[in-house]
Amino acid sequence: MGIPVSFDVNFRPSLWRSPEAAPPLLRALASEADVLFANAHDIALLTDEAFAGHPEDERRLVARAFALFPKLKVIASSRRAMSAADRLSVSVKVDGRDAAATSPEKTLSNVVDRIGTGDALAAGVLAGLGPSHDIARAAEWGLALFCLKHSIPGDASLADMSDLEAFLDARLDVRR
């Protein structure tokens, strides 16, 4: 029907009765996706390949995922480096088949809640991609909603388009 499909791998072994049963099912779901939300560990699981944590391994895994899943157009993921429970540095990477975009890194302090941040990132990436598949805008918007959600308690983000625009324009003043 031409409707784009996104899939967030988000593999959590503790949620599976038999974690070894996950890869074939996750592979089947990923094979139907146009947009995949997956970090290098998730991609290693999908491709049944090793990941040693090196940047060249990540590039190899992304290329392998695009080869393995012909419908796939975009892979998006976050980077997080925690320095304390309420302080971390984050960025978003969006890979297309022919190009990649990485957002600038932002340092977040006084983090309120990390639950739901992946869903906020996905919403930003999907909205940013739009029909033109603008991966640079997708990385920026994904980062914006990802960062904003860290300041909102609970599972759902309350950020709207005006919040996204304020973040992107670096407007830090109180809005009334």
Side-chain angles (χ1 to χ4, degrees):
M1 295 182 73
I3 299 169
V5 173
S6 67
F7 176 58
D8 187 347
V9 177
N10 199 18
F11 178 63
R12 303 289 187 264
S14 62
L15 299 178
W16 289 77
R17 186 170 305 165
S18 302
E20 65 279 357
L25 176 59
L26 295 173
R27 244 180 253 124
L29 293 168
S31 72
E32 298 299 323
D34 297 281
V35 179
L36 186 69
F37 294 94
N39 63 28
H41 295 286
D42 293 331
I43 297 172
L45 180 74
L46 293 174
T47 60
D48 196 27
E49 297 195 20
F51 175 56
H54 305 295
E56 60 273 8
D57 286 339
E58 185 175 345
R59 286 189 292 277
R60 175 183 53 80
L61 287 168
V62 165
R64 179 72 178 122
F66 280 122
L68 190 60
F69 305 119
K71 292 182 181 180
L72 192 58
K73 294 178 179 71
V74 173
I75 300 172
S77 62
S78 64
R79 272 74 178 150
R80 302 176 203 215
M82 296 196 65
S83 55
D86 67 343
R87 184 176 175 80
L88 66 157
S89 296
V90 297
S91 65
V92 172
K93 183 171 185 229
V94 179
D95 288 285
R97 285 190 171 270
D98 301 320
T102 303
S103 72
E105 186 176 276
K106 297 280 186 188
T107 298
L108 307 177
S109 56
N110 301 316
V111 169
V112 172
D113 200 341
R114 290 182 291 155
I115 303 300
T117 58
D119 292 335
L121 177 145
V125 167
L126 293 171
L129 277 174
S132 65
H133 280 269
D134 185 335
I135 61 171
R137 184 177 65 190
E140 281 183 349
W141 287 25
L143 178 71
L145 292 183
F146 187 57
C147 289
L148 289 168
K149 173 56 189 88
H150 280 86
S151 68
I152 301 168
D155 194 23
S157 176
L158 304 173
D160 61 20
M161 196 62 173
S162 67
D163 297 318
L164 175 68
E165 290 168 354
F167 182 93
L168 294 172
D169 293 340
R171 292 187 304 223
L172 303 175
D173 288 339
V174 173
R175 289 183 295 153
R176 298 185 171 119

